[in-house]
Amino acid sequence: EQGFRSTAVSLAPGAANWRRHAPAVEASRDALGDYSGIASYQQSPNFAAGRSTYEFIVVHTMEGSYSGSISWFLSTASQVSAHYLVRSSDGQITQMVREADTAWHVQCYNSRAVGIEHEGYIAAPATWYTEPMYVESAKLARSIADRHSVPLDRTHFIGHNEVPANCNTNSHQDPGSGWNWTHYLALVTGSGPTTTTGVFTGVIYTGGNTANLVTGAQVSAGGQTVTTAADGTFTFTLAPGSYTASVTKAGYTSNSATRTVTANATIWGSMEINPVQATGTVSGVVYAFDAANPANHSQVLAGATVTVGSQSVTSDAAGHFSFTLPPGVVTLAATLTGYASAQASATVTAAQHTTVDLGLTSTTGPDLVPPTVVITTPLANASSTVGLVDVKGTASDDRGPISSVSLSLDGGAGQPVAVVNGAFATQVLLAPGSNTVTVSAVDAANNPGSASVSATFLAGVAGTVVDAASSGPLANVTVDLRQAATGALLVSVTTDAQGRFFAPATVVPADELMVVHASGYLTSSQTVTVPVDQQVRVTVPLTAGVDMVGMVSLTVTQPGEGEHLTGETATVYGTANGFDLVGVTVNGTTGQLLAGGGFSATVPLALGPNTLEVTGSGTRGEVVTSVVHVTRVPAGPLEPVVGQACSSTPAAVSFTLALLLLARRRRLP
């Protein structure tokens, strides 16, 4: 992106590995450096003194090498520069312009932005966008943002392709669809993996349903305090150790969760709070349980003691009892001489009435009554934006303690769950989509009992599409999720009037390509990581403009049409024209993406005529094909193997030419 036109350099087969050079000599850090993590400071002559503001951090891809880019930015002939350059192999950083000065990297955005260039090519993100590069670049970006009060969001962290068209006259597309913005911003904000800290995260919800997210709640842990936004999420980056997170909000109950944080890991501690400004009622009857007819509640029991929390009442002559209670989940227990005790759980809702009957079994006969299992959290048919959910409830028996309790998901093997004073609490990781959670209990007489609830994990990508200039929401925008490897469409959704969307995912964890396109705006594409334990939330800024797609085609540069080959295989090279390539196959064999929209694939040849069908897929759903006909002929005993010569000697020449051209490439700022 350094402005060396990709068409000016022809990379030889295997040239993507050239970045694995011997480490450059580490230069001592210059005192002029703004960031303590730089390896060296090398002042570019291409800059303007001073700047207007610090509004944006712009991510670039060099479309070239680290050392070559440094040389290019040191040349007055290039008339371009950036504040920082990051090496692919290990994340080494060189600074070339002071942050207080204006580097020349995004034309009319120069004086408003700090630019970070990353080594590599947008056509081969898997090769160049390494984890060390992401981590070290994120540390650098966070330092810049903290020192200059740049908001840590996607409207202020942008790619070169997202600046307005009048500031991008060469239509730069870096960092490309292979740049993983969700992972990068997670590292920037501290919610991604680091080397010495861990993450304590969760959601604050109400009413037993993690989809009922609470905004404006104060959550504190480890000396830090955050306020939940619309997504109800809290996140703390902490040193390893045990921490208690506490949540409060005016008019709500409080709650806390204690978790152990470990380095380079994420631990969940979601918490439920409920309104306390109103009350609800719970009432019912105490009756003699009839094992032969469990639905028969006609034999009521007077004088039974019914307890909930610190309150107790006695059932009247009709066996009736009643409580007025604050909202929340409660457990009621009934006792009466000559009968085994019983208990049941209920959810109290403000200004509503809940009925719970309690059946007591005579202690004079055999124990034929199964234990009672009640799941209070999650609620039946609840939806969750997180995969790891709390499962809470009670397991009780009319004649004493429960022998064992287990939990199973979707009919799988049961896992033991601890029960304390008749209550259980554990966590389960839901699969994407609908799940059935079953809790089973066995009493001392080996009677089984169980309860099940359905819960849906809304795995996938959710967020808002906004206008990059005004930050206003954009309605009726198409959001596609595609397989990152092949470009195959997985799901397509449209934003609502508030610019919101949800694209469900059926497989987690997974890297998926998200393509966002709307009339009058430049198409945005990026790689998103859909984790196993939460819904991804993103903000996508769209820049006004028209995609310069033109005619789309695939050009096969080797072998030529009608060429005679002698090898058992042929390596097909070519380029994509007019669209961003995300996947390519030749006769069904998956190819490798190269720089500048190039590709290669090696396929077997049969003796005689062969048809090589090349199929490429693009970020906007393009499917383009090209066909080349070749003939494999037997190699004579004294003849050179033509196929091998074409893939070796010319390759070496091409690679040498590529290196020579690196020093001659030019770029507009």
Side-chain angles (χ1 to χ4, degrees):
E1 196 276 304
Q2 187 176 314
F4 313 157
R5 296 222 176 228
S6 59
T7 53
V9 178
S10 175
L11 284 181
N17 293 326
W18 69 312
R19 69 184 182 89
R20 296 179 175 84
H21 48 69
V25 176
E26 302 288 338
S28 61
R29 187 181 308 125
D30 194 297
L32 290 174
D34 294 300
Y35 174 59
S36 62
I38 63 173
S40 66
Y41 184 98
Q42 301 191 46
Q43 179 65 59
S44 170
N46 308 316
F47 73 97
R51 63 167 40 256
S52 297
T53 59
Y54 296 91
E55 294 180 52
F56 304 99
I57 294 176
V58 180
V59 171
H60 299 268
T61 305
M62 298 175 190
E63 291 299 309
S65 73
Y66 179 69
S67 58
S69 298
I70 293 173
S71 298
W72 189 239
F73 288 173
L74 288 173
S75 170
T76 56
S78 72
Q79 291 296 287
V80 290
S81 63
H83 293 91
Y84 295 96
L85 294 87
V86 186
R87 189 161 68 186
S88 172
S89 59
D90 56 5
Q92 185 190 98
I93 299 171
T94 292
Q95 183 173 2
M96 302 200 71
V97 176
R98 289 291 304 274
E99 292 171 14
D101 292 329
T102 299
W104 298 343
H105 58 113
V106 278
Q107 295 181 297
C108 53
Y109 263 42
N110 282 334
S111 61
R112 305 164 62 189
V114 175
I116 305 176
E117 290 270 5
H118 298 83
E119 183 181 26
Y121 296 88
I122 66 174
T127 300
W128 295 95
Y129 297 160
T130 65
E131 189 63 11
M133 172 186 279
Y134 275 124
V135 170
E136 296 306 320
S137 176
K139 292 178 184 177
L140 165 64
R142 179 59 183 265
S143 174
I144 297 169
D146 287 347
R147 286 183 280 108
H148 301 300
S149 301
V150 180
L152 305 178
D153 57 45
R154 275 289 279 121
T155 56
H156 296 86
F157 280 65
I158 63 174
H160 193 169
N161 59 308
E162 293 171 329
V163 302
N166 62 313
C167 296
N168 189 10
T169 56
N170 278 358
S171 300
H172 292 283
Q173 295 301 304
D174 55 305
S177 59
W179 185 261
N180 193 326
W181 279 106
T182 56
H183 180 52
Y184 186 63
L185 284 183
L187 290 168
V188 169
T189 59
S191 57
T194 62
T195 56
T196 60
T197 59
V199 174
F200 188 169
T201 190
V203 295
I204 306 302
Y205 62 96
T206 188
N209 188 344
T210 55
N212 297 333
L213 302 170
V214 179
T215 183
Q218 301 287 319
V219 186
S220 300
Q224 306 176 39
T225 299
V226 297
T227 301
T228 59
D231 61 1
T233 301
F234 67 89
T235 299
F236 299 105
T237 301
L238 301 165
S242 179
Y243 296 88
T244 297
S246 301
V247 56
T248 59
K249 183 178 180 179
Y252 284 75
T253 58
S254 59
N255 204 346
S256 63
T258 300
R259 299 289 187 270
T260 298
V261 175
T262 57
N264 203 26
T266 297
I267 189 72
W268 282 81
S270 300
M271 292 175 280
E272 177 181 1
I273 59 176
N274 290 292
V276 296
Q277 67 270 26
T279 59
T281 58
V282 177
S283 67
V285 296
V286 181
Y287 66 95
F289 181 78
D290 181 1
N293 185 10
N296 179 16
H297 294 194
S298 62
Q299 187 180 346
V300 298
L301 298 175
T305 300
V306 184
T307 302
V308 56
S310 60
Q311 300 183 48
S312 294
V313 298
T314 301
S315 61
D316 60 19
H320 183 266
F321 66 89
S322 181
F323 295 94
T324 299
L325 301 166
V329 178
V330 297
T331 299
L332 301 96
T335 59
L336 182 64
T337 301
Y339 291 84
S341 61
Q343 66 181 33
S345 295
T347 300
V348 181
T349 305
Q352 294 188 25
H353 177 256
T354 302
T355 299
V356 178
D357 293 341
L358 294 165
L360 303 184
T361 304
S362 173
T363 56
T364 60
D367 183 3
L368 302 176
V369 181
T372 300
V373 179
V374 178
I375 299 175
T376 57
T377 301
L379 296 180
N381 301 314
S383 296
S384 176
T385 57
V386 298
L388 192 65
V389 298
D390 294 325
V391 179
K392 301 178 182 179
T394 59
S396 60
D397 187 58
D398 62 336
R399 297 200 181 183
I402 294 296
S403 176
S404 65
V405 175
S406 63
L407 181 148
S408 67
L409 183 67
D410 296 327
Q415 300 298 319
V417 176
V419 179
V420 179
N421 297 324
F424 60 83
T426 186
Q427 291 183 315
V428 64
L429 181 62
L430 302 178
S434 179
N435 297 255
T436 299
V437 179
T438 301
V439 178
S440 303
V442 177
D443 65 13
N446 209 34
N447 295 309
S450 65
S452 298
V453 295
S454 295
T456 299
F457 174 27
L458 301 174
V461 184
T464 306
V465 180
V466 299
D467 182 280
S470 67
S471 296
L474 295 177
N476 299 317
V477 175
T478 300
V479 180
D480 296 336
L481 279 190
R482 297 180 174 275
Q483 288 183 346
T486 66
L489 180 65
L490 300 173
V491 64
S492 182
V493 297
T494 304
T495 59
D496 63 14
Q498 287 75 46
R500 299 172 302 191
F501 69 90
F502 170 59
T506 57
V507 178
V508 294
D511 284 346
E512 295 183 352
L513 181 66
M514 183 174 68
V515 183
V516 183
H517 45 98
S519 178
Y521 288 87
L522 300 177
T523 296
S524 171
S525 58
Q526 61 178 287
T527 300
V528 294
T529 298
V530 183
V532 71
D533 55 5
Q534 63 180 310
Q535 182 186 92
V536 177
R537 301 192 64 85
V538 299
T539 298
V540 182
L542 290 187
T543 302
V546 178
D547 287 322
M548 302 300 291
V549 177
M551 298 295 292
V552 296
S553 64
L554 287 174
T555 300
V556 177
T557 57
Q558 180 183 318
E561 173 66 24
E563 188 171 343
H564 286 64
L565 306 174
T566 58
E568 295 181 354
T569 63
T571 300
V572 180
Y573 294 95
T575 58
N577 310 303
F579 68 107
D580 292 328
L581 197 63
V582 295
V584 66
T585 62
V586 179
N587 289 356
T589 298
T590 301
Q592 179 184 8
L593 301 183
L594 305 175
F599 63 86
S600 69
T602 300
V603 296
L605 294 179
L607 282 172
N610 289 259
T611 299
L612 305 178
E613 182 173 325
V614 184
T615 301
S617 55
T619 58
R620 302 178 183 89
E622 303 95 338
V623 177
V624 185
T625 61
S626 182
V627 175
V628 174
H629 301 90
V630 298
T631 301
R632 178 187 166 193
V633 297
L638 300 178
E639 296 177 7
V641 181
V642 177
Q644 293 179 356
C646 290
S647 63
S648 57
T649 306
V653 173
S654 179
F655 180 64
T656 303
L657 177 60
L659 293 179
L660 292 173
L661 287 173
L662 283 175
R664 299 178 59 84
R665 295 185 283 187
R666 298 182 61 83
R667 159 188 182 167
L668 293 174

